[in-house]
Amino acid sequence: AGMALPTGESDQDETNRKNPPGKAKGKAKKSDGSQSTDNDLERIFLWDLDETIIIFHSLLTGSFAQKFGKDPATVLNLGLQMEELIFELADTHLFFNDLEECDQVHVDDVASDDNGQDLSNYSFSSDGFSGPSAGGGPGSTSTVQGGVEWMRKLAFRYRRLKEIYNGFKGNVGGLLSPMKRDLLLRLRSEIETITDAWLSTALKSLLLIQGRCMNVLVTTTQLVPALAKVLLYGLGDVFPVENIYSATKIGKESCFERIISRFGNKVTYVVIGDGRDEEFAAKQHNMPFWRISSHGDLISLHQALELDFL
Amino acid sequence: MSMPPTFGFTQEQVACVCEVLQQGGSIERLGRFLWSLPACEHLHKNESVLKAKAVVAFHRGNFRELYKVLESHQFSPNNHPKLQQLWLKAHYIEAEKLRGRPLGAVGKYRVRRKFPLPRTIWDGEETSYCFREKSRCVLKEWYTHNPYPSPREKRELAEATGLTTTQVSNWFKNRRQRDRAAEAKERENDGANPNGHNPLTSHVNENKSLCESSEDDKSPAATPDHSSTSPAILMPSSSGLPPLHSFAPPPGPSASIIPVSGSDAQSHHHFSMHDGLLNIMTASLVELGS
């Protein structure tokens, strides 16, 4: 009943105003006199992607169909079509062919090798980044892997990735042919129906959080396909590209550690996932964990956010 | 776990909210959240919920409630540190209110002794030490070879451990005293005296309080008194102990006590413990004890 605090007032202000007797050393944070601004980050929500926000992987494995009593063939078909779109986008526009073997945890990880040169007329397809590796025949123009020049070209790719992501995060259709655009819309609609509006329910929470704190994505998908998934599922606006981490190489626990180093430990982190890796990683870092195993859990999450419990 | 259908959260989710609000320091909000929970017994026995109740009670100065919560449930070890802090802080605050002024280190110690941590939030291990583990190891190691370091050795130890020489001296003095107390207690438990009460040890304890506060710079004037009175106490003719005087050079400026098993020498002697002398001493002491 009336849980939400009036806008702009933080818990610290309320405590200081009331000044309850007998509270010599309260557990609440002491206000340092400054009003908490919009820039003060209180919470950061660390989201898992698959089976938490989007339903994708379990479409392919059949586990979704089984768990929720849907027709396996239909579900599988949707999954396969989506998968095709994801990898087509990844290959065509996101350099996945080049980057699959050397994908990073975070889009800025190789930025230090970048020289900042103008890329507007740069030809990624013929810069010799990828070609036959060791033992390229006579006249091979491929760059030595791992060398300085190669690292720079790698950095260019991630820079371009960021540009593409930022340019199309609100409108991924612009990256697709009209036919594929229609296919995408159709697929998303069908997946929404068959998953009982899973994604849009998750999106409610994501948007609410974005309004007052921050969303971070930590996924076990490789970075480039993860970016493709985020774009295709229309999540580009709730996850800035710098807030996306791939745990494929280093695991979720290490990703969480990186995030803590980045944002500090004065923030409260909340982990949201469907279990397994993220639950364990959360425990290791003493972060509260909100499990998503059903539709209802997403609804409860939204409720808790609305009621200002989280 | 039956939850009224109007309340939409699972126990796990309630626990998550409790953790989030606690970590964020939003104790007022946490209090309101707890108040809004259905009166489900199972839910209110959840550890995260109980922890939250404890934090809210502390925050509100409701210490009776706090102690009740802390003693009501066996908390898991990873929550012990935080809950111990709540217990102690609350007791300190109450003691300070009675006292009317802030508590010093000794005052706090007395509070801790008077209100020992309940086993629900403590595993019984006395593991909070003042000195680093490394320093303590160095001191312990040295002690096993020689419980009576010379002033120079104490200085060396101080350097090696990062402590002051006073701290080193106090450490050794306390260690000797505690070893002796432990040994005396062991003798008592062994039933060496049928009454279960060893007159020697009780006297020893009395006199100990006089001697043990000595530092290296204890004035010589004080020592002769002890030397003259103690033998009378410690030399019951029946015990067959040879007079301890024979072991002792005249009392010097530094005062320390020889640990003698069972009966304590009250004379103050300063020894520079050459190994040879130490070996002779040890051998004789062993004889005494048998």
Side-chain angles (χ1 to χ4, degrees):
Chain A
M3 299 288 160
L5 293 171
T7 333
E9 182 182 41
S10 72
D11 220 44
Q12 293 129 284
D13 299 340
E14 194 178 21
T15 309
N16 287 338
R17 204 159 34 88
K18 278 201 205 149
N19 199 21
K23 184 179 84 71
K25 290 179 199 173
K27 277 290 170 192
K29 279 190 270 201
K30 285 189 167 63
S31 171
D32 57 357
S34 57
Q35 204 74 352
S36 79
T37 67
D38 286 345
N39 294 329
D40 276 13
L41 215 47
E42 265 197 354
R43 306 246 189 289
I44 297 183
F45 290 80
L46 308 181
W47 291 83
D48 172 45
L49 182 60
D50 283 283
E51 322 319 307
T52 300
I53 302 175
I54 66 175
I55 300 294
F56 170 62
H57 192 242
S58 60
L59 298 176
L60 298 169
T61 61
S63 56
F64 181 84
Q66 192 181 39
K67 187 170 179 188
F68 295 100
K70 310 285 179 179
D71 173 43
T74 318
V75 166
L76 179 64
N77 184 34
L78 288 174
L80 287 170
Q81 289 187 74
M82 202 63 198
E83 186 180 45
E84 208 184 301
L85 272 182
I86 290 169
F87 285 106
E88 198 184 307
L89 177 63
D91 287 334
T92 316
H93 293 280
L94 305 180
F95 307 105
F96 194 48
N97 280 321
D98 289 347
L99 300 176
E100 187 169 1
E101 299 301 312
C102 51
D103 206 358
Q104 302 295 310
V105 173
H106 184 271
V107 77
D108 287 330
D109 278 356
V110 290
S112 53
D113 292 300
D114 199 340
N115 65 0
Q117 75 183 60
D118 182 24
L119 294 176
S120 1
N121 296 314
Y122 188 87
S123 167
F124 285 98
S125 48
S126 55
D127 68 344
F129 178 81
S130 60
S133 36
S140 158
T141 54
S142 56
T143 326
V144 174
Q145 253 203 22
V148 172
E149 211 187 314
W150 185 86
M151 291 298 291
R152 191 167 49 230
K153 292 175 182 176
L154 182 69
F156 291 164
R157 278 157 175 75
Y158 280 97
R159 185 172 12 133
R160 176 56 65 89
L161 264 180
K162 276 176 83 164
E163 289 168 9
I164 292 173
Y165 184 96
N166 287 328
F168 290 94
K169 60 184 177 175
N171 169 34
V172 69
L175 284 171
L176 306 171
S177 69
M179 198 175 70
K180 296 286 177 174
R181 207 177 305 155
D182 287 342
L183 175 62
L184 175 65
L185 287 171
R186 199 162 27 90
L187 279 176
R188 277 186 41 188
S189 166
E190 284 181 49
I191 291 175
E192 268 303 274
T193 310
I194 210 163
T195 63
D196 300 316
W198 186 285
L199 175 57
S200 29
T201 313
L203 205 45
K204 281 196 226 168
S205 296
L206 284 164
L207 289 167
L208 220 163
I209 291 167
Q210 194 183 30
R212 54 168 107 134
C213 13
M214 189 182 268
N215 292 305
V216 170
L217 189 66
V218 184
T219 173
T220 41
T221 314
Q222 274 186 282
L223 186 59
V224 169
L227 295 181
K229 279 185 194 173
V230 168
L231 287 172
L232 289 172
Y233 278 92
L235 297 165
D237 281 323
V238 283
F239 288 111
V241 71
E242 298 86 3
N243 284 15
I244 299 177
Y245 291 81
S246 167
T248 330
K249 281 203 291 195
I250 65 175
K252 296 226 172 179
E253 205 178 318
S254 304
C255 281
F256 287 179
E257 207 163 298
R258 276 184 64 159
I259 293 165
I260 298 173
S261 316
R262 177 174 161 196
F263 293 103
N265 52 16
K266 298 296 179 200
V267 185
T268 305
Y269 297 92
V270 186
V271 179
I272 305 174
D274 62 308
R276 302 163 314 182
D277 321 320
E278 45 274 2
E279 184 178 7
F280 183 76
K283 207 186 214 102
Q284 296 302 105
H285 289 283
N286 195 32
M287 295 172 177
F289 174 69
W290 189 282
R291 189 189 308 276
I292 303 291
S293 48
S294 72
H295 206 242
D297 295 332
L298 279 173
I299 296 178
S300 298
L301 174 65
H302 185 238
Q303 229 176 17
L305 286 164
E306 274 201 316
L307 292 170
D308 229 21
F309 290 159
L310 289 176
Chain B
M1 173 192 51
S2 56
M3 204 87 68
T6 46
F7 186 76
F9 300 115
T10 66
Q11 201 177 125
E12 211 188 12
Q13 289 165 350
V14 168
C16 180
V17 171
C18 287
E19 283 296 325
V20 172
L21 293 177
Q22 259 176 88
Q23 283 191 16
S26 309
I27 310 302
E28 298 285 316
R29 231 150 94 191
L30 180 61
R32 286 197 294 271
F33 176 69
L34 289 174
W35 179 83
S36 78
L37 294 180
C40 165
E41 199 189 306
H42 207 252
L43 181 64
H44 289 269
K45 283 205 177 23
N46 175 288
E47 184 156 317
S48 288
V49 172
L50 286 169
K51 201 167 80 151
K53 283 190 178 174
V55 169
V56 170
F58 177 88
H59 178 92
R60 291 182 177 155
N62 188 352
F63 295 151
R64 299 284 133 248
E65 175 69 19
L66 169 67
Y67 304 144
K68 190 168 136 228
V69 171
L70 293 179
E71 288 172 315
S72 68
H73 169 93
Q74 189 65 36
F75 288 90
S76 61
N78 65 303
N79 282 324
H80 284 185
K82 172 152 188 174
L83 297 174
Q84 287 176 10
Q85 283 312 303
L86 291 182
W87 173 275
L88 293 175
K89 282 203 180 131
H91 280 293
Y92 292 157
I93 290 170
E94 287 189 313
E96 281 175 348
K97 258 197 268 200
L98 283 174
R99 170 92 63 97
R101 51 189 164 85
L103 242 45
V106 174
K108 287 185 176 174
Y109 170 77
R110 290 191 183 127
V111 167
R112 292 196 300 273
R113 287 297 287 246
K114 188 166 177 199
F115 303 105
L117 295 169
R119 294 303 292 268
T120 47
I121 56 173
W122 180 50
D123 61 3
E125 280 274 326
E126 304 264 6
T127 52
S128 49
Y129 298 109
C130 284
F131 299 155
R132 288 190 339 251
E133 171 113 30
K134 210 181 73 163
S135 306
R136 291 187 350 256
C137 279
V138 169
L139 294 169
K140 270 189 245 187
E141 179 71 25
W142 233 93
Y143 183 86
T144 57
H145 294 131
N146 174 15
Y148 290 90
S150 67
R152 184 173 46 85
E153 287 159 340
K154 284 183 192 173
R155 239 176 289 130
E156 286 167 13
L157 276 169
E159 225 169 307
T161 55
L163 304 167
T164 66
T165 45
T166 313
Q167 286 176 312
V168 171
S169 300
N170 284 337
W171 190 93
F172 273 84
K173 147 184 94 69
N174 288 329
R175 186 49 179 258
R176 292 190 300 260
Q177 173 180 8
R178 286 166 194 170
D179 274 5
R180 222 169 310 129
E183 212 168 337
K185 182 151 186 161
E186 220 177 274
R187 297 222 143 237
E188 204 176 299
N189 292 341
D190 282 349
N193 188 309
N195 297 338
H197 169 74
N198 189 334
L200 292 179
T201 48
S202 63
H203 280 291
V204 162
N205 287 335
E206 271 175 46
N207 288 314
K208 244 206 267 283
S209 54
L210 295 170
C211 331
E212 281 305 310
S213 53
S214 61
E215 293 286 311
D216 280 353
D217 52 354
K218 186 177 162 72
S219 61
T223 31
D225 289 337
H226 281 286
S227 309
S228 55
T229 52
S230 45
I233 298 168
L234 292 178
M235 295 303 136
S237 43
S238 52
S239 70
L241 296 170
L244 288 173
H245 286 302
S246 57
F247 289 115
S254 305
S256 32
I257 297 189
I258 313 166
V260 179
S261 45
S263 56
D264 207 347
Q266 292 305 295
S267 1
H268 291 256
H269 305 290
H270 171 64
F271 291 90
S272 58
M273 291 294 217
H274 304 293
D275 278 350
L277 180 59
L278 180 57
N279 287 339
I280 295 168
M281 292 283 303
T282 320
S284 317
L285 291 173
V286 167
E287 275 172 24
L288 282 175
S290 53

